[in-house]
């Protein structure tokens, strides 16, 4: 059984409130879970103490037995120093500008540099 540490949504329409739970990966997002280990209220200010509430000892236990946090929960755990902060990959090279676009950008940069070097005539 693979186990995840993930968010389950609660609260009213346009007023989200999340519980941080330990759940089997096969259960639905807001369905059955094993244990509730915290809460997250995005409606509160970032520095409010009740915005993110975690049960650190239970989270450490579940991490030690192999539970995998989702991306958002991993970020929360990293900020709370319960787990290492996740590293995010760089932008893929596929999305970089192609050769012709790079040539146009280089030519524009050179023209801007040349215009900056020559004094403005009045």
């Amino acid at each position: 059984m693979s186990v995840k540490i993930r968010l389950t949504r609660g609260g009213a329409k346009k007023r989200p409130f999340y519980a941080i739970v330990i759940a089997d990966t096969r259960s639905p997002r807001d369905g059955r879970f094993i244990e509730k280990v915290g809460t997250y209220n995005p409606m509160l200010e970032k520095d409010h103490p009740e915005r993110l509430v975690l049960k650190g000892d239970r989270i450490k236990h579940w991490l030690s037995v192999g539970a995998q946090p989702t991306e958002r929960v991993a970020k929360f755990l990293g900020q709370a120093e319960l787990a290492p902060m996740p590293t995010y990959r760089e932008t893929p090279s596929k999305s970089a500008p192609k050769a012709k676009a790079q040539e146009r950008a280089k030519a524009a940069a050179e023209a801007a540099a040349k215009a900056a070097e020559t004094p403005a005539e009045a």
Side-chain angles (χ1 to χ4, degrees):
M1 175 172 83
S2 60
V3 178
K4 288 262 190 196
I5 304 174
R6 65 183 183 197
L7 298 172
T8 61
R9 192 180 192 283
K13 180 179 176 181
K14 299 192 180 198
R15 304 282 300 168
F17 184 84
Y18 297 93
I20 300 170
V21 298
I22 310 297
D24 184 4
T25 56
R26 296 170 293 185
S27 4
R29 180 192 73 178
D30 298 334
R32 190 175 69 194
F33 60 88
I34 300 168
E35 182 179 354
K36 183 177 171 183
V37 293
T39 59
Y40 170 58
N41 187 353
M43 301 299 288
L44 297 175
E45 301 86 37
K46 290 188 184 248
D47 59 345
H48 197 281
E50 292 179 9
R51 180 178 170 98
L52 181 65
V53 178
L54 300 170
K55 295 179 185 174
D57 56 335
R58 294 305 298 160
I59 291 173
K60 286 181 183 176
H61 164 75
W62 282 104
L63 289 172
S64 70
V65 295
Q68 294 295 315
T70 58
E71 286 184 23
R72 176 59 57 179
V73 173
K75 186 176 177 184
F76 291 153
L77 297 180
Q79 291 169 348
E81 298 178 357
L82 293 172
M85 194 69 169
T87 56
Y88 294 103
R89 289 184 242 144
E90 295 295 321
T91 305
S93 58
K94 276 185 155 183
S95 65
K98 304 300 183 241
K100 284 187 177 181
Q102 287 179 353
E103 289 174 15
R104 283 193 298 268
K106 185 178 177 183
E110 289 174 358
K114 187 179 277 187
E117 287 177 6
T118 58
E121 294 181 25

